[in-house]
Amino acid sequence: MAAMVLATARLLLRGSGSWRRSRLRSGAPPHRQSRSGSASANVPLSSPLPGVPEPVFATVDGQEKFETKVTTLDNGLRVASQNKFGQFCTVGILINSGSRYEAKYLSGIAHFLEKLAFSSTDRFNSKDEILLTLEKHGGICDCQTSRDTTMYAVSADSKGLDTVVGLLADVVLHPRLTDEEIEMTRMAVQFELEDLDMRPDPEPLLTEMIHEAAYRENTVGLHRFCPTENIAKIDREVLHSYLRNYYTPDRMVLAGVGVEHEHLVECAKKYLLGTQPAWGCERAVDVDRSVAQYTGGVVKLERDMSNVSLGPAPFPELTHIMIGLESCSFLEEDFIPFAVLNMMMGGGGSFSAGGPGKGMFTRLYLNVLNRHHWMYNATSYHHSYEDTGLLCVHASADPRQVREMVEILTKEFILMAGTVDVVELERAKTQLMSMLMMNLESRPVIFEDVGRQVLATRSRKLPHELCTLIRSVKPEDIRRVASQMLRRKPAVAALGDLSDLPAYEHIQAALSSRDGRLPRIYRLFR
């Protein structure tokens, strides 16, 4: 604000060239009274302007001078905040809830709740009323569900914090869930499932399949999307039964970025302490506390992929393979070495643009895409949860070259436990740290980081602490975690024309071998 006023004053003093020259020739003082009669133009630029508050600047010394503040209310709800300069704030409620807790329920409840978010409540008659209320404070809202977390978030002007927290409390604890809203949600879920099957990018579907293969019928292996057969079965009674057990204060975190902690705590006490939710105050009795059990296995989906891309130049028919192995929980010390290993593998599509800065020095570029022109994609992913983790590689190629593609992947998995070049390790660590710091320049990302860490650990590691852990990773740490990972059974997801897909036992044997080669098959007739 001060800078803006100074810039305005500078423009007023400068004026137009002809006006200034004429005033100087006439001997008149070089200033002009503003229309409102203000004499601020007379104040020299070396002096502070009257009536303007003193600016507060953030210090830049490589480390944050403040910590994430956490307060636990009497009902068990945690309130976490992170200071950040700016006019706007991001505030939301994160809940330890998601598809992994649906073992005793119809699969797809979390998917329904995501679509029903920010609908009518006890105070607001419709979603339009909610959006109009947020619009008064320049706000937007969103709800996202994952396998283990549900997140309701709002970004708005910091002056509207009281309104925002009250609205969030109403949306989370007092949804009406009318018949009309549930019916509209059924249509939205059906449309999303159809879109998932038709979209050219198979990554979301493959992610579902690899989790299903890795954790067969338990916790994070349960479907994140609602199965088609359950769409008509989910109603208000089913939703209330689930909400009663999982939308409890001790499983919630109210997180805010860009707000005063004391003000956020006051708002939490006002709207989230002692309030009775729409489903009643009965005690939660059916909470699933299962620990993820990694099983390994294969999930295959035969599908004609020749017409998934429309247009005059359709994308070629491809078969997609994803191979994964169990890594570790984000609460374990080995989480950082696994994150560095994932960055070291890197990868992407064969048509990626951007040059070396986009990761073309990673292993999946150098060893796979640059050497095998017929492979269209090779990308590494790392999924980590409170009690387990999964590191996997997704690759795609022509159906006739599936066997060769799988062998290339198994060789790369074996090489993970081999020699680690110091230069590539340092590059991966630098890339991981820069990605971390760049992402944390965004206020919504900081909000999610604060909320998820406090929800899982009741505290938050600051970025400079994470960077210290990343810098300390050594080549022997990478070899150790990779060797440990290779002792597990693989999880395999396959989509497309699978006529040449190797048997699961052969993939497992290749990952147990020294060189990663598939067992040779000799056929009398072809």
Side-chain angles (χ1 to χ4, degrees), residues 443-506:
R443 188 183 62 253
V445 174
I446 300 174
F447 156 76
E448 187 172 349
D449 183 51
V450 169
R452 285 182 180 274
Q453 286 202 50
V454 173
L455 190 64
T457 66
R458 298 180 178 272
S459 62
R460 181 194 179 217
K461 277 190 173 70
L462 293 174
H464 70 268
E465 297 177 79
L466 293 172
C467 287
T468 301
L469 293 172
I470 293 170
R471 288 191 196 96
S472 65
V473 175
K474 299 173 181 174
E476 49 267 31
D477 295 324
I478 300 295
R479 291 196 297 269
R480 175 176 52 79
V481 297
S483 300
Q484 173 187 330
M485 181 175 64
L486 286 166
R487 297 190 193 108
R488 297 281 188 166
K489 291 174 61 178
V492 180
L495 174 67
D497 182 350
L498 309 179
S499 53
D500 284 342
L501 178 69
Y504 175 77
E505 294 75 16
H506 290 177

Side-chain angles (χ1 to χ4, degrees), residues 395-411:
S396 51
D398 188 275
R400 294 166 295 183
Q401 293 168 303
V402 168
R403 182 178 178 83
E404 188 176 354
M405 175 174 66
V406 170
E407 187 169 78
I408 290 168
L409 295 187
T410 54
K411 286 179 180 178

Side-chain angles (χ1 to χ4, degrees), residues 2 53-59 83 85-86:
E54 285 212 21
V56 181
F57 300 102
T59 57
N83 197 3
F85 297 95

Side-chain angles (χ1 to χ4, degrees), residues 41-85:
N42 295 326
V43 180
L45 295 181
S46 57
S47 303
L49 288 171
V52 177
E54 285 212 21
V56 181
F57 300 102
T59 57
V60 183
D61 59 359
Q63 292 198 6
E64 297 178 65
K65 293 291 186 183
F66 49 87
E67 295 181 0
T68 301
K69 296 180 181 178
V70 181
T71 299
T72 304
L73 302 187
D74 295 339
N75 60 357
L77 183 137
R78 282 154 282 170
V79 181
S81 72
Q82 183 78 48
N83 197 3
K84 186 173 176 64
F85 297 95

Side-chain angles (χ1 to χ4, degrees), residues 160-356:
L161 181 63
D162 187 272
T163 302
V164 166
V165 175
L167 186 149
L168 282 167
D170 218 40
V171 164
V172 173
L173 298 176
H174 304 104
R176 285 184 180 171
L177 304 179
T178 64
D179 293 338
E180 183 183 358
E181 289 169 347
I182 292 175
E183 190 57 40
M184 290 293 290
T185 300
R186 289 194 179 109
M187 294 170 62
V189 168
Q190 181 68 45
F191 176 80
E192 189 168 344
L193 293 178
E194 292 172 0
D195 178 66
L196 189 68
D197 287 337
M198 292 188 300
R199 62 192 300 173
D201 175 23
E203 194 269 327
L205 184 57
L206 279 168
T207 301
E208 290 300 300
M209 293 168 65
I210 197 73
H211 278 84
E212 184 183 352
Y215 305 93
R216 183 72 69 171
E217 296 179 358
N218 76 90
T219 57
V220 294
L222 300 177
H223 289 283
R224 192 169 71 86
F225 297 102
C226 180
T228 306
E229 62 271 16
N230 287 351
I231 292 176
K233 299 177 183 177
I234 296 177
D235 54 20
R236 188 189 300 106
E237 186 179 347
V238 171
L239 295 170
H240 276 186
S241 174
Y242 179 87
L243 293 167
R244 187 175 297 113
N245 286 313
Y246 292 101
Y247 276 43
T248 54
D250 57 302
R251 300 176 69 90
M252 294 183 184
V253 168
L254 173 66
V257 176
V259 297
E260 291 293 333
H261 184 72
E262 292 74 18
H263 190 189
L264 187 62
V265 172
E266 287 175 11
C267 294
K269 289 178 179 177
K270 180 178 178 180
Y271 295 107
L272 292 163
L273 188 62
T275 182
Q276 179 171 332
W279 44 89
C281 285
E282 293 89 346
R283 189 176 177 183
V285 294
D286 206 17
V287 177
D288 185 1
R289 305 188 188 279
S290 304
V291 177
Q293 302 296 318
Y294 180 85
T295 60
V298 60
V299 173
K300 298 186 287 187
L301 183 57
E302 288 268 4
R303 177 178 291 177
D304 180 9
M305 304 288 284
S306 60
N307 58 350
V308 293
S309 181
L310 304 176
F315 206 67
E317 180 182 359
L318 299 175
T319 294
H320 303 272
I321 306 293
M322 192 175 275
I323 299 177
L325 292 165
E326 186 180 24
S327 58
C328 73
S329 155
F330 57 66
L331 299 177
E332 298 178 44
E333 292 182 0
D334 283 342
F335 171 68
I336 299 296
F338 269 115
V340 174
L341 173 61
N342 178 59
M343 189 60 66
M344 196 167 72
M345 297 304 295
S350 58
F351 297 106
S352 291

